[in-house]
Amino acid sequence: MGYPVEKLKALALAEGFDAAGELNIQALVFMPEVREMCSADKCGAYGKNWRCPPACGSIEEAAKRAANYSFGMLVQTIAHMEDEFDYETIEKAQKAHAESFIRMMRTLKAEYPDILGMGAGTCRRCKQCTYPDAPCRFPEDSYSSMEAYGLWVSKVCELSGVPYNYGPCTVAFTSCYLLK
Ligand code: SF4
């Protein structure tokens, strides 16, 4: 079956993303080194969220799950900052990216019920994650990040022919959907 790349790109733009492109499925290499960066806990989410390591599962499980898919789309939100300390713009873009990501996942689920979405950054659906005391409140709308799965995002973009770096004082949040 062929996948409607242009239609999916148009959908991504309609859902609020700034750029989208086909994911090179061969670029999905699940690297323990990336997972190790998670355990350094620079983002403060390691061991505190159902969709982050270690709760989200092992690299091997991620690779096994992803092997079931033969097609994917990368989606991006690009922010233009006033300077490199423009955290307000970064936060706004990150929030917008997460909202677009959930919207598009809900839309795609109608046609691709087995969709696997990998986001940018930890799941922020709730102010305070229930981990580890109670089950996830929104299993349908929560997701792990590409990094949590062990993917080196800039490499995945490069091998897919999708830009990752949009120049000085820009930041691009990148997520992907695997479809079948
Ligand atoms: S939806 Fe809420 S409970 Fe579930 S992983 Fe995200 S933040 Fe945690």
Side-chain angles (χ1 to χ4, degrees):
M1 185 183 93
Y3 288 90
V5 178
E6 293 309 318
K7 191 176 147 199
L8 293 172
K9 272 190 202 173
L11 175 66
L13 299 183
E15 296 290 11
F17 292 112
D18 297 307
E22 187 174 350
L23 168 75
N24 173 6
I25 215 85
Q26 306 302 327
L28 294 179
V29 179
F30 298 86
M31 303 169 68
E33 296 87 340
V34 178
R35 174 59 70 87
E36 278 159 28
M37 284 186 233
C38 280
S39 54
D41 197 24
K42 285 192 179 151
C43 66
Y46 185 86
K48 297 185 187 74
N49 190 296
W50 284 113
R51 301 298 169 224
C52 286
C56 66
S58 68
I59 294 277
E60 292 74 19
E61 284 163 345
K64 203 170 156 196
R65 201 170 163 204
N68 293 318
Y69 296 84
S70 53
F71 178 78
M73 288 296 293
L74 283 160
V75 290
Q76 294 177 319
T77 302
I78 304 158
H80 299 271
M81 302 176 286
E82 281 180 18
D83 56 47
E84 57 187 301
F85 303 107
D86 186 1
Y87 300 118
E88 199 185 324
T89 298
I90 296 172
E91 269 176 37
K92 227 170 116 186
Q94 190 173 28
K95 191 165 175 277
H97 183 78
E99 287 170 359
S100 295
F101 182 79
I102 289 175
R103 270 201 309 273
M104 182 150 164
M105 189 141 80
R106 284 178 182 161
T107 305
L108 287 172
K109 260 187 189 165
E111 210 168 328
Y112 305 99
D114 289 330
I115 184 172
L116 172 59
M118 301 182 192
T122 189
C123 176
R124 295 181 200 275
R125 181 76 167 75
C126 312
K127 250 188 182 162
Q128 175 88 44
C129 187
T130 55
Y131 183 83
D133 303 317
C136 172
R137 286 190 194 102
F138 304 103
E140 289 297 309
D141 279 346
S142 62
Y143 50 85
S144 295
S145 67
M146 291 177 73
E147 291 90 346
Y149 277 106
L151 295 172
W152 185 5
V153 181
S154 61
K155 198 79 188 157
V156 173
C157 287
E158 184 192 325
L159 293 173
S160 301
V162 171
Y164 176 75
N165 187 339
Y166 286 83
C169 278
T170 64
V171 62
F173 291 96
T174 303
S175 297
C176 70
Y177 302 103
L178 300 189
L179 309 168
K180 59 178 172 180

